[in-house]
Amino acid sequence: MQKSYNSTFPLIEMALYAALVALSVLYIRIPIPSPNNHFIHPGNALVALSILLTGFKRGSIAGIGGLVIFDIIAGYYTSIPKVIIESLVTLLVMQGVYQNVFRKRDTVPAIATLGVVAGVTKVAMIFLMQWLTAIIVSQMTVKAAAIYAFSGLTAGTINAVATSILVPVLYFLFKPIVERYHPVGE
């Protein structure tokens, strides 16, 4: 039986995925006592999954769109540019590793490695963005900015560990569902 193609399906899939990301961050989060109001959430893992399941272009738009929707709903307007940059760089690194190292093969070790790549890249981006912000906006010295940026990595590191675990688990749960509608990664 040949599947018929509906041109609105990709848009509907992106909207549903963005909603999934936004709602997961909004309702599945654990606050961490910190001066910056940080919390642990599954959003980064779902954003990483977005490019693996729906392809880079649609996945990036849906995943990052979901994080932006959450930021708007939660009132984190000022962090939207930072979230977009951090997430886009993370997804670009993931896509590069997925294409060039794993040749888009979705074996368990490859997907598990991509989860770790996503987590580590996100932590590095959080550090870099906080460091640059402290230098540029707060006019801190390089050393003081590094200490400040490092002190804010608790939630990012825990989220990275969660991302490393959730990406392979959720990928292989979602993969059969996505395959009903289109090839994975397209």
Side-chain angles (χ1 to χ4, degrees), residues 107-175:
T107 63
V108 173
I111 300 300
T113 302
L114 288 170
V116 172
V117 166
V120 169
T121 306
K122 185 71 172 184
V123 169
M125 285 305 300
I126 290 169
F127 177 84
L128 181 64
M129 295 298 284
Q130 287 182 341
W131 181 72
L132 286 172
T133 302
I135 290 172
I136 295 167
V137 176
S138 301
Q139 298 182 348
M140 290 183 180
T141 65
V142 172
K143 184 177 179 180
I147 293 168
Y148 168 77
F150 185 74
S151 70
L153 290 182
T154 306
T157 303
I158 296 170
N159 277 328
V161 171
T163 298
S164 299
I165 295 167
L166 287 174
V167 165
V169 170
L170 293 177
Y171 177 82
F172 291 106
L173 286 175
F174 287 177
K175 181 182 174 183

Side-chain angles (χ1 to χ4, degrees), residues 4 10 32 36 53 56-57 70 78 85 142:
S4 64
I32 295 177
N36 298 338
L53 295 171
F56 184 78
K57 183 179 174 185
F70 164 76
T78 57
I85 293 168
V142 172

Side-chain angles (χ1 to χ4, degrees), residues 13 49-58 95 98 104 106 171 175 178-179 182-186:
E13 184 181 38
L49 279 173
S50 67
I51 67 165
L52 296 173
L53 295 171
T54 62
F56 184 78
K57 183 179 174 185
R58 289 190 307 128
Q95 182 69 10
Y98 190 46
K104 289 194 167 188
D106 63 349
Y171 177 82
K175 181 182 174 183
V178 170
E179 285 178 325
H182 61 79
V184 172
E186 292 181 19

